Amino acid sequence: MAMIFLGGSRDIFELPAPAIERIGSIVAAEHGVLIGDAPGADAEMQSLLAGYNYEHVGVFHAAAEPRNNLGDWAAYRIPPPNGAKGFAVQAEKDREMARRADFGLMVWDGASPGTCLNVLRLAAIGSPCVVYDTLRSKMATVHTIADWRAMLHHAGPDVRREVEARMTADEIRALPA
């Protein structure tokens, strides 16, 4: 059973049809799903999986309890580093899901630095990630860091700066010069 990291932007409250179809294929193939507990794309994907009564799901969260666990699945707490604030509170659980994943499916709004970084984390370890870009209504598979750079090229300079600001030293080292 392959493990699929599902995720996306917190500002997405309706999944595009191609993402819904991919999730249906994941369920039909009985792959394992790793998913976060955030509102937005995570919760929408959880709702879809719960509607299928799908059981092979693990919900990753940073707080004492998940913000969303719509299928009452197994929950895995990945505590944030001491003193973490803002985006850094959730980043460690995202890194853990990427480490455990064989593949990814991300729904990106062209602006979310967290979603963009999750695609990078998967590419850095050689796990392909299907990305549906809602801003451009396009789907592509990111296999490599070069593919990820091409994806990021379509984002504005503010998004690129925000992504760079959130990168760890290890994530920066994963990028070829």
Side-chain angles (χ1 to χ4, degrees):
M1 172 187 326
M3 299 304 290
I4 317 291
F5 178 5
L6 299 183
S9 306
R10 288 180 301 179
D11 291 335
I12 292 174
F13 293 98
E14 184 175 334
L15 296 175
I20 292 170
E21 291 168 13
R22 289 284 178 137
I23 293 169
S25 296
I26 290 166
V27 169
E30 296 187 6
H31 293 305
V33 172
L34 311 168
I35 193 165
D37 67 333
D42 287 359
E44 292 300 308
M45 291 173 170
Q46 282 193 25
S47 179
L48 184 61
L49 292 162
Y52 284 122
N53 292 315
Y54 197 58
E55 297 177 4
H56 306 297
V57 178
V59 176
F60 288 69
H61 60 100
E65 296 294 327
R67 295 170 287 183
N68 291 291
N69 186 348
L70 304 179
D72 197 29
W73 298 291
Y76 302 93
R77 181 169 186 261
I78 308 298
N82 290 335
K85 294 187 184 340
F87 71 88
V89 171
Q90 303 300 324
E92 195 57 38
K93 73 164 174 55
D94 290 345
R95 287 185 194 98
E96 183 61 25
M97 286 186 285
R99 278 191 286 272
R100 294 182 185 203
D102 300 302
F103 303 95
L105 171 62
M106 298 288 152
V107 180
W108 189 44
D109 61 3
S112 167
T115 303
C116 188
L117 276 170
N118 285 335
V119 176
L120 169 63
R121 291 171 183 134
L122 290 163
I125 61 172
S127 296
C129 184
V130 174
V131 179
Y132 187 85
D133 182 339
T134 62
L135 189 63
R136 299 178 331 133
S137 297
K138 291 197 174 198
M139 187 175 275
T141 302
V142 173
H143 295 275
T144 65
I145 301 293
D147 294 343
W148 176 80
R149 285 187 189 273
M151 180 189 100
L152 187 58
H153 176 75
H154 295 290
D158 291 343
V159 174
R160 289 193 295 271
R161 278 192 294 277
E162 185 68 24
V163 167
E164 290 168 4
R166 291 181 180 202
M167 292 175 130
T168 64
D170 287 342
E171 290 162 347
I172 292 168
R173 280 191 292 276
L175 299 175

